[in-house]
Amino acid sequence: MFIGDNQDDVYDQEEYLGREVASLWYFSFDDLAEDAANIAKKYILHDYARELYDNAAIKWKEQIDTSNNAHAHYQLGYYYQHGYLTSGIDYQQALKHYEVAIDQNYAPAMYDICSLYGCRDKDNPSDYLELMKDTDLLQMKVKMYVKAAAVGQHRKAALQTFQRYKYMKKWRNYIDELDKEYKMMVKKNQQSNKKHLSSIYNQLGFLAVVKSQLENKVEELKSAYDYFHLAGKLGNASGYLNYGYYNYENHDNYNSERTKYYLKAAQMGHYLGWYMLMRYLIKSEALNPAELDRCLTYLKTASHYQTADFLSQLGVLRLESQLQATSNEIQAFQYFLQATLCNESMSVESVGRHEFFYVGFMYEHGIGIEKDVVKAAHFYASSIIYHGDSSLALCRLAKLIEKRKVLPADIHDAVKLHETAGTYNKSELKIYAHYRLARIFSHRDLMEIGLYSKDSSRRHLQGVALDILGKTSQQHPRSIEYYLTGKMNENGYFIEKDDRKALHYYQLAAMCYNEGDVYERYYSYKAMIKKAKLLAKNNSHYQQELQFLDQTIYTIQQNSPVDIYVQSYHIAWKYGTLGNVGHQLQQAAFQKYQQQVETLSNANAYYQLGYYYQHGIGTFRKDLHQALQYYQVAIRLNHPLARYDRCWLYGCEENGDDQSVCIRVYSTSKEYSDVMIEEFVQSAALDGDLRAVKTLRHYYNHYNDCRIATRELIDKLQKRMKNQQLNVDEKGKLYNQIGFLLWLTCTDLNHQQALTKKRIMLKVSDYLIRAIEYGCSSASLTRLLVKGMLEEQLEVFDQDYIDIIQHSILTGHIRARYQLALYLLSFQEDKSTIDKHVVDYLRSASLLGLEEAPLEMSIMYRDGNNVVRPNVVKAAEYYDQYLIESHLPIGDCYQESFDIGFMHEHYINQHHDYPIKAAFYYWLHIKNQLDSAYAQCYLAKLIEKNKILTTAPLQDAIQLYQTAAYLNCISIRGYAHYRLGKIYNNQFYHDIYDHTTASNHFQIAHSLYRRSLQQSSDKLPGDLYHLAILYQYGYGVTTNLNQAIEYYQAAASIDDDLLPLYDRYFREKAESKLTQIR
């Protein structure tokens, strides 16, 4: 009997779970965790694991042969010690490799070598290389743990040393003796080997930190810092690493001093220095492309030692990262898989072991690897048994068991795993675990085995509701929370049923599609399917359509709709990246820029080449000196973006910047701020670069040195104003910059400082008016900014916008003209009639690669208007320029990409590689738009027709069509069903030919197209054309040529200049069909 069935309400979730576990299993939470590990052991694939380790050992031996890599030695030693290889346990080999790694000061080997030895009076000889006297073993551990903690900040070594010094007298005595021994060595050997001496100083520093727990804390810590610093000065990289960590441990998470010493350690060759710098940068709130580049550079340098945490981080960056031009699931999977075969660095900055979950999840859903739920269960189980971060793995393994996707499939085991997950202190995990438990306990068919309890189901749902309410009120929920909230609203789980709210939450979950990792995206997919089915709730036609689709997927493909969604994403990635089109575009652009700088003074060519060399785009190597030269020329030629990007060639030691990633590194944050603030202000106030505005606001609001530098720059510029030799243009620019800086000082003032802000803003206005009087072309643009009209999206047309910016327009400021063009376009309902000035301004901005100017020009040439005629070639050229010059990762540029793919497939198809180009643009749209049904259908058609690959599996096309058929667009659902009907009706595909299934798809397509025409006042040529096809060939309806001609005529006669490209195409197709019939 469940504890809740006949007892008073228990409102505390943890208390209730404890009672439930006790009543069901007679367990405590500790017992439950142990049982969860035993359950997981059922799913370990021992032969498969040994095969993986054997293959990994070959690679470690290759690294040893080529570079004598310390981590490779350590990892092999670990394999031999624990019998991971087919050859079994070999303690002598383990000792040999550990000792080589220790000779290279590798901390993990120092810690693990101790576990080769046991205690003579307690331990079994067969479990160890050798048994030692208790005192000898203790001495060994003290020495090795202290060294491991001091040399490599080994987390376990440090923790055990701290705890045992505090609570175990024997350990305290030996640590005190070691401290005295090292101090005596230092006293006697001041002139001895510096390397040895620096190592002793470093360890003395750690010993002082340990002793500070019980003795005079202030004095011991001061001596620790002195020892660490002295070790660093003598050339010991770990000394600086420890100085940065321990001296600033109780400060903010990171500060400039800590970062400076991490940088010193890194520059002296310590791999953890690079890793910690990467961790510092990746936690920053305002990462720009230069900082993102530095993250990857530092991480790759640290990954000379291929520890699990380093490889796992590389996998995450490869899977979801802004750092890559395109994400790469296959490479990400390989990084994660390799990480599962390695030990972590054990540093204080190690972020836990997520790689087992990632590998399991990617196997479960076929992401970057062929789907294999048995291997998925193996990696989930490995996470639970062997490694700390098993929380998500618990739920995923439990779900596989619950759904009987793996054997053994004991529902009791699933319950225990979910209950174990419910004990973790992670809100999203607890929410999901309680939700699954509620679902299980609500099944009446489990009554016979004692798992049905309506009350317990209600209690778990209550916990879910309370957790979700708490999270939504405090922070941005993840897709899984939105999804579960939608389900609770849809089904009335503990709250009142409300389909409208359910749809809202499903939509929010779907909108998380690009905000998280593959796990987040999975619940966005689930939400989309739930949303479709909920929308069909009061529509019998739609319900039948989805039921037929579900049945087809479950019975014919033995799959689920959500898995179809997941796999469709990766099918799109596979074909979209096949021809490496992104790289080809980068290569072609680079060659074009080189030709332009050789033949004419093209500001944009110089700027773009500078950007290429700064970031090492594509296969081009970084060359910061080349980048600087190109930027300098671009600035002289008045390129409005070059000054801002040049700023990121410079760095600061206190920000963790190294000479390898910067052309010049300033010593202090103050020195750096003085230079950079002036550069950024010129970029923002004179060039009108909104990136500089955003950067300045962030720095001014977060860093005191930047606030000081801002005030000092105001004083400096005001003094410069007194120079009688200044010309009119120089005075105008100075007034503009001072006005901008004064506005910047207002951005962090609160409501209580309203009078101060008002007084400063009056000064700002005066300075900017004077700037305009002196002819500064950017001053009126700055006026727009300080009035809040430039950064915010205005919803109502405001003539003041045009009046204020007019001076900058008349004086030819390129950024101002671009901003005005965007402003006017945003309020232009009829895009077929556009002011010629707008087109001219956008064209001029495109010549300089300003943000979305090339994209706007592409749209104009795609649609045509009173100024430019439709031209698909020019539309495609401008779009490619946007892909390259927006400087977004190419995989993140998707606006209008479906139309560009459509152009390549149907209009710009003279070259043999047009299908590969079309697939690339379709993929861009699919990658970034969850409801990208048009792109999915047309990519599917290229696959179906063997246009991309002659050996392309037809199932890839089917899955893309099926995904599109779930989306809430009647026309494209009709097209998806029409194409599926064509496939199943084709006797050439004898393995899947099914006339009945084909007829059902055709009939659904016919019904959808008819409903689309009935529901819309605007008749779409695509709908009419496909209805005509169905009647002409008798697909799902009785053949009726007259009816077909009627629909063709209706499609061909639509005279609308604003038709989308897609519908213009089918209007032309209808005209062609009529010609053929006649």
Side-chain angles (χ1 to χ4, degrees), residues 45 137 252 271 332 335 449 497 569 575 597 617 628 630 639 742 744 748 825 856 1012 1028 1033 1064 1067:
L45 305 173
L137 182 59
D252 293 332
Y271 66 101
Y335 275 129
I449 57 172
K497 288 180 73 170
Y569 177 92
Y575 291 101
V597 299
I617 288 174
L628 179 62
Y630 282 119
H639 196 283
L742 287 171
L744 184 63
D748 69 338
L825 271 181
E856 293 294 345
S1012 176
Y1033 297 103
R1064 295 205 305 267
R1067 182 174 63 185

Side-chain angles (χ1 to χ4, degrees), residues 528-544:
M528 282 297 288
I529 292 168
K530 281 290 181 185
K531 178 185 167 187
K533 292 184 175 179
L534 188 53
L535 286 168
K537 191 172 181 180
N538 296 317
N539 184 326
S540 59
H541 293 293
Y542 197 2
Q543 276 187 334
Q544 290 170 10

Side-chain angles (χ1 to χ4, degrees), residues 952-986:
L954 188 60
Q955 280 299 328
D956 288 351
I958 290 173
Q959 289 187 194
L960 287 169
Y961 286 135
Q962 287 171 332
T963 306
Y966 275 101
L967 297 171
N968 189 34
C969 170
I970 291 180
S971 293
I972 202 61
R973 289 196 340 250
Y975 184 72
H977 280 286
Y978 164 70
R979 293 306 321 168
L980 286 166
K982 291 274 284 183
I983 289 173
Y984 287 111
N985 198 47
N986 192 335

Side-chain angles (χ1 to χ4, degrees), residues 629-643:
Q629 290 175 18
Y630 282 119
Y631 281 150
Q632 304 281 39
V633 177
I635 292 168
R636 287 200 300 273
L637 294 172
N638 296 316
H639 196 283
L641 303 176
R643 194 188 311 271

Side-chain angles (χ1 to χ4, degrees), residues 391-392 395 421-422 424 426-434 481:
S391 50
L392 284 171
C395 284
Y424 277 71
K426 290 185 179 180
S427 63
E428 66 272 16
L429 181 68
K430 286 164 67 177
I431 288 168
Y432 184 71
H434 283 286
E481 282 111 25

Side-chain angles (χ1 to χ4, degrees), residues 170-236:
K170 280 188 178 180
W171 271 76
R172 187 157 55 249
N173 291 339
Y174 278 117
I175 287 171
D176 287 340
E177 285 177 17
L178 185 65
D179 184 56
K180 289 176 186 175
E181 179 188 336
Y182 282 166
K183 285 175 178 174
M184 189 65 68
M185 289 171 66
V186 167
K187 195 172 183 180
K188 290 181 178 179
N189 300 292
Q190 286 291 339
Q191 304 303 317
S192 67
N193 183 293
K194 277 189 177 182
K195 183 177 179 182
H196 178 66
L197 195 59
S198 69
S199 175
I200 299 299
Y201 276 128
N202 182 43
Q203 292 178 72
L204 279 169
F206 176 72
L207 287 165
V209 173
V210 172
K211 293 177 70 175
S212 71
Q213 295 178 102
L214 297 181
E215 300 177 19
N216 189 320
K217 184 169 184 176
V218 175
E219 283 188 21
E220 286 291 351
L221 285 178
K222 184 179 182 305
S223 66
Y225 306 149
D226 290 343
Y227 282 133
F228 287 142
H229 201 271
L230 187 53
K233 287 181 69 175
L234 289 172
N236 188 290

Side-chain angles (χ1 to χ4, degrees), residues 80 146 161 195 201 266 425 464 662-663 704 717 728 815 1076:
Y80 282 121
V146 167
T161 306
K195 183 177 179 182
Y201 276 128
N425 190 29
V464 174
C662 298
I663 202 163
N704 190 51
L717 295 180
V728 171
R815 166 67 72 171
Q1076 291 173 18

